[in-house]
DNA sequence: CTGTTAGCGCCTTCAA
DNA sequence: TTGAAGGCGCTAACAG
């Protein structure tokens, strides 16, 4: 039933018998402020409904020099298995502030990345969230200096604005504490090492775990080095077990590594959690799929994405601050149930 | 070094000593068509560089009534574990056509969904891709009739435009063929049943597998009913094995179900693939993580996303057609290696 | 309380 | 080959 083609504010005003100014005020919710008569409001509202009027956001943007749109430029966030939760969180926060997200994924190509940023600036986005799939130390794309920017899951020393990161140091402590709370205070090993250049999570997690163990009068017994993938972890742990080693606790760098460790342990007839407790990082779905369910220190991707756009929009919340979001402990059944501690 | 604030085409034209018309022609690549002197082009180009001019896409949109932007409205695609690959494919295809994606995720809320569509129409997107995480039969949101729309991973009987779906029927055949090629022509069971209302994948896969087996003179021996989740599958298959059943081949409705089946089989000391071959659907990362690696019929999410935006942009490619994309067989090691057939 | 008016930056006929 | 001028739809002074 609504309008055949393009209905403009002028049409609405005409039908309601008022000026476009009045109609505009009403549609922008400034009716009370402008003390517009209820009768007029009703007539305008009726015209809007009758005509099926839809404001032209483009025209409004041109006029107000603001687009109610946030750009999200990332390397692989959309395709990434679960880092896409960042997008989801960003989307939710954007919606809450009446904004929409324009996204662009560079798939690792720097040229594409710069062109995406250019495109977004051209579209006059209200700001850009620059995100990476893995926690990385990066060099800030130069173009980003031209607009308000929040770094998501990455950090650049020369970035003037807010940064959102997972608290991997705290996460490392949490992982260790999960073990300590179960009375496991010796023969704890870390599985995995940091492979990607620029990646910063591994070191922090390792440090956090070390610190927590030491502050409990214990210490990390060692690191089983391997890439953060199932196969690598399985082979590394298998070889390590074959040498006669027997851990009481394993802290795996991510859930896939933990799966590899599970398989290696099973291969040697070592039951989890009865003989070895396992904790890992990520808190991905995989953790819940395994048996026993994996106790994992989760990456709060959704919250990170949401916080990033909130920081972009409400510049009050700590400018040029590094926000490290707590990595919550997702309890599974892979840690011996002696005395379960609180997070 | 570039301009301090807002540089307009007028500034560029002024600096180059030409009219905005000329400058506009040059920037839109119509310089040769308009036979503009090389000297003029050079001057304009120089001015652009010197001023750091960036075209105002908003103004252009207003004028041309086209935004070079595609809306993607989905239920959970962004947060979905691997269906986010649809987004990634859509993004790639959009980029290839010099478009950007504006996304919105309703998280299942119909009100939010309609508001998102409204927002996008208001922004004058060039079209909307409406996507769902799981393959669904839906009722078409009414607002979508107001713009060119492509349905992605869902179908509505009254939709006038293109639809992109995975070919689950063919996928079912492929799964069965993978078993048949290995000489497994009896005692083949399907694991899983279609739980979600509106979901259509399960029935098609079942039918496809049935048809393929029957066309080979065999038949499906039965269905082990369970929800498409690890735990449900494990319990269902375990109970079924406990009753003394022994399959030669298992076709699992998705990779998670296959994981559950793996665990149940292991619990009964039945080795994969030596005694039982397993095939599943999805082709998710999980398939490659398991041991033995799972042979899985993959959902071509990336290609689906890409095709959807291509169909949106180039309306030649079959209007109001249902495009069913082939589900490729990802070879793992979960099918007995007698004689490996081709896909 | 409401109307008049002047652009936002760009594209594009129409003239020259 | 280039310039002048109008207008896309909307907002926001500034008057009344």
């Amino acid at each position: 039933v609504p309008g055949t083609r393009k209905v403009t504010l002028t049409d609405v005003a005409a039908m309601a018998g008022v000026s476009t100014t009045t109609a505009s005020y009403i549609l922008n919710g400034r009716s009370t402020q402008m003390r517009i008569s209820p009768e007029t409001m009703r007539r305008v509202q009726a015209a809007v409904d009758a005509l099926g009027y839809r404001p032209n956001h483009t025209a409004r943007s041109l006029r107000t020099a603001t687009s109610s749109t946030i750009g999200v430029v990332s390397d692989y966030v959309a395709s990434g298995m679960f880092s896409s939760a960042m997008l989801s969180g960003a989307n939710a926060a954007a919606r809450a502030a009446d904004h929409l997200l324009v996204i662009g994924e560079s798939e690792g190509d720097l040229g594409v990345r710069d062109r995406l940023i250019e495109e977004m600036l051209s579209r006059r986005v209200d700001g850009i969230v620059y995100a990476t799939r893995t926690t990385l130390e990066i060099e800030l794309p130069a173009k980003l200096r031209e607009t308000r920017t929040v770094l998501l899951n990455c950090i650049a020393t020369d970035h003037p604005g807010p940064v959102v990161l997972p608290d991997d140091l705290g996460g490392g402590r949490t992982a260790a504490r999960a073990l300590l709370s179960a009375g496991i205070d010796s023969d704890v090993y870390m599985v995995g090492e940091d492979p990607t250049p620029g990646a910063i999570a591994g070191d922090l997690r390792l440090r956090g775990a070390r610190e927590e163990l030491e502050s409990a009068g214990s210490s990390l017994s060692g690191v089983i080095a391997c890439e953060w993938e199932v196969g690598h972890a399985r082979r590394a742990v298998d070889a390590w077990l074959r040498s006669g080693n027997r851990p009481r606790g394993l802290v795996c760098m991510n859930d896939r590594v933990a799966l590899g460790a599970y398989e290696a342990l099973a291969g040697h007839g070592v039951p989890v959690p009865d003989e070895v407790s396992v904790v890992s990082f990520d808190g991905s779905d995989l953790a819940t799929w395994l048996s026993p369910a994996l106790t994992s220190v989760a990456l709060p991707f959704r919250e990170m994405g949401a916080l990033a756009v909130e920081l972009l929009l409400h510049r009050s919340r700590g400018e040029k601050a590094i926000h490290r979001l707590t990595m919550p402990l997702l309890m599974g059944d892979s840690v011996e149930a002696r005395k379960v501690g609180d997070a």
Side-chain angles (χ1 to χ4, degrees), chain A:
Chain A
V1 194
T4 336
R5 268 300 133 195
K6 34 180 78 169
V7 182
T8 74
L9 188 57
T10 312
D11 300 330
V12 172
M15 172 175 255
V18 300
S19 75
T20 58
T21 310
T22 306
S24 174
Y25 281 151
I26 293 172
L27 292 182
N28 294 356
R30 311 207 312 190
S31 37
T32 49
Q33 179 192 338
M34 285 295 151
R35 313 208 310 177
I36 289 180
S37 74
E39 170 52 20
T40 306
M41 286 188 57
R42 218 162 338 222
R43 283 216 314 283
V44 170
Q45 198 45 256
V48 165
D49 295 342
L51 264 31
Y53 169 74
R54 188 196 330 281
N56 184 325
H57 191 98
T58 305
R60 189 197 311 239
S61 273
L62 179 59
R63 183 61 232 247
T64 62
T66 154
S67 60
S68 294
T69 301
I70 295 171
V72 178
V73 179
S74 58
D75 52 358
Y76 302 93
V77 182
S79 43
M81 284 299 99
F82 66 122
S83 55
S84 61
M86 286 197 287
L87 253 193
S88 193
N91 175 68
R95 269 206 48 66
D98 270 312
H99 280 238
L100 240 38
L101 256 33
V102 293
I103 65 167
E105 194 186 22
S106 71
E107 310 200 29
D109 184 318
L110 296 190
V112 170
R113 183 199 65 183
D114 288 342
R115 239 166 296 138
L116 285 171
I117 294 173
E118 191 72 30
E119 276 295 318
M120 292 184 176
L121 292 175
S122 189
R123 279 171 167 75
R124 300 299 188 268
V125 293
D126 294 342
I128 290 182
V129 172
Y130 185 79
T132 54
R133 177 176 45 180
T134 52
T135 310
L136 245 43
E137 171 141 16
I138 61 163
E139 248 185 287
L140 194 69
K143 307 254 186 205
L144 285 182
R145 287 177 208 292
E146 296 184 41
T147 187
R148 179 164 175 75
T149 300
V150 173
L151 259 33
L152 176 54
N153 206 26
C154 55
I155 188 167
T157 50
D158 55 344
H159 173 60
V163 174
V164 178
L165 294 172
D167 178 15
D168 283 298
L169 187 68
R173 302 188 104 108
T174 303
R177 197 158 51 244
L179 257 21
L180 290 168
S181 309
I184 297 163
D185 53 6
S186 64
D187 300 300
V188 172
Y189 295 81
M190 199 114 186
V191 185
E193 61 183 353
D194 225 324
T196 333
I200 54 184
D203 284 344
L204 289 171
R205 292 172 184 177
L206 183 58
R207 249 181 58 204
R210 277 223 163 88
E211 288 179 9
E212 185 70 20
L213 286 166
E214 283 163 13
S215 77
S218 175
S219 71
L220 189 69
S221 299
V223 174
I224 303 173
C226 66
E227 285 183 37
W228 297 17
E229 289 302 334
V230 182
H232 291 269
R234 177 176 50 234
R235 287 188 291 278
V237 174
D238 178 67
W240 185 81
L241 289 170
R242 199 190 312 280
S243 310
N245 297 292
R246 281 298 175 279
R248 285 184 66 204
L250 248 32
V251 178
C252 299
M253 280 299 193
N254 72 17
D255 294 339
R256 300 193 298 284
V257 167
L259 169 52
Y262 265 38
E263 294 176 340
L265 289 167
H268 286 261
V270 182
V272 174
D274 309 285
E275 288 190 24
V276 177
S277 290
V278 178
V279 184
S280 72
F281 295 93
D282 275 9
S284 65
D285 285 347
L286 177 60
T288 68
W289 296 339
L290 300 183
S291 318
L294 198 50
T295 291
S296 188
V297 180
L299 281 166
F301 278 136
R302 221 191 131 77
E303 291 71 20
M304 287 167 61
L307 179 58
V309 333
E310 281 162 16
L311 290 169
L312 198 63
L313 262 20
H314 320 297
R315 55 187 61 201
S316 49
R317 287 243 244 150
E319 198 59 16
K320 187 171 169 41
I322 298 179
H323 301 256
R324 297 185 190 275
L325 267 61
T326 301
M327 297 178 69
L329 182 66
L330 263 42
M331 294 301 289
D333 307 304
S334 61
V335 174
E336 201 178 354
R338 192 114 25 123
K339 27 169 179 159
V340 178
D342 44 22

